[in-house]
């Protein structure tokens, strides 16, 4: 179900700007992390405390229609705020191209986490450095399309 409400842009100006440009261009511009050439996606969610609509960029780690969302925050010792949003409100939208779609996220652990972590580091090697300096286990969440989540996405 599409997420609606009052949009509160990220307090990181470069992130808010990337979100705006990505959405305005239907994903044809601002679709990589700075000049790395590595693709990003835009994730829309509800704030855990504010209940406002929040949007962030994340590295595009896709496999068989699912996406890994890696709460690295550049190796910061605390989880990013958006992690708490997804725990509180696991129904999100991901835009990977012209249009956003509905997904449901779950946090993964153990062997499943390792599998997705390896995929994530293959896409964006700095994740390994972030893990080394964060002093926390970086959460990995997996977003499944609602059309494939039992009971969700029905017409
Ligand atoms: N961040 C990652 O963690 N992993 C990535 O792979 C990643 C890639 C990426 C690519 C492009 C890009 O533009 C940004 C990218 N980022 C990546 C950065 C990411 O988009 C976030 O900016 C970053 O992870 C920090 O997330 P944050 O949620 O802590 O955002 C800060 C800057 C922020 O906006 N804080 C707000 C504030 O007022 O301080 C609050 C945000 C929020 O969601 N608040 C919630 C609410 O209710 O509204 C409450 C959250 C809570 O703590 O309960």
């Amino acid at each position: 179900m599409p997420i609606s409400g009052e949009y509160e842009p990220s307090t990181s100006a470069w992130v808010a700007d990337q979100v705006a440009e990505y959405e305005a261009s239907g994903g044809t511009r601002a679709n990589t992390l700075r000049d790395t050439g590595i693709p990003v996606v835009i994730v829309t969610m509800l704030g855990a405390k504010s209940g406002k609509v929040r949007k962030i960029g994340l590295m595009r780690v896709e496999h068989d229609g699912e996406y890994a969302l890696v709460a690295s925050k550049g190796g910061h010792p605390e989880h990013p705020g958006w992690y708490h949003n997804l725990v509180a409100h696991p129904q999100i939208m991901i835009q990977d191209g012209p249009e956003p779609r509905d997904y449901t996220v779950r946090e993964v652990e153990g062997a499943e986490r390792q599998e997705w972590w390896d995929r994530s580091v293959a896409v964006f090697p700095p994740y390994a450095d972030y893990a080394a300096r964060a002093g926390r286990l970086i959460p990995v969440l997996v977003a499944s399309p609602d059309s494939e989540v039992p009971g969700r996405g029905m017409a």
Side-chain angles (χ1 to χ4, degrees):
M1 176 181 67
I3 290 173
S4 59
E6 181 189 345
Y7 174 44
E8 180 77 35
S10 171
T11 53
S12 286
W14 71 278
V15 175
D17 292 347
Q18 174 149 33
V19 168
E21 185 69 11
Y22 188 108
E23 291 185 325
S25 68
T28 60
R29 292 193 308 272
N31 53 18
T32 61
L33 177 65
R34 296 199 172 99
D35 59 355
T36 64
I38 305 175
V40 306
V41 293
I42 304 300
V43 179
T44 298
M45 66 197 80
L46 287 178
K49 294 174 184 154
S50 67
K52 293 182 178 177
V53 174
R54 296 285 192 170
K55 301 183 183 196
I56 59 168
L58 289 177
M59 301 319 294
R60 181 186 184 278
V61 181
E62 184 275 340
H63 180 74
D64 283 349
E66 292 186 310
Y67 293 82
L69 311 177
V70 179
S72 51
K73 194 177 180 180
H76 192 276
E78 290 179 12
H79 297 337
W82 65 261
Y83 168 74
H84 303 293
N85 298 343
L86 268 52
V87 170
H89 303 293
Q91 274 71 47
I92 64 168
M93 296 193 293
I94 295 176
Q95 185 167 354
D96 179 14
E99 293 298 328
R101 293 197 176 95
D102 295 338
Y103 291 79
T104 298
V105 298
R106 67 188 189 281
E107 186 166 356
V108 290
E109 295 171 347
E112 188 180 15
R113 180 190 179 280
Q114 189 61 51
E115 187 181 22
W116 279 103
W117 178 257
D118 293 345
R119 287 184 185 126
S120 303
V121 172
V123 167
F124 188 62
Y127 280 140
D129 305 329
Y130 299 164
R133 70 165 180 251
R136 63 183 167 98
L137 183 66
I138 292 176
V140 177
L141 301 103
V142 174
S144 303
D146 277 359
S147 53
E148 291 171 20
V149 175
R152 286 195 54 77
M154 299 305 188

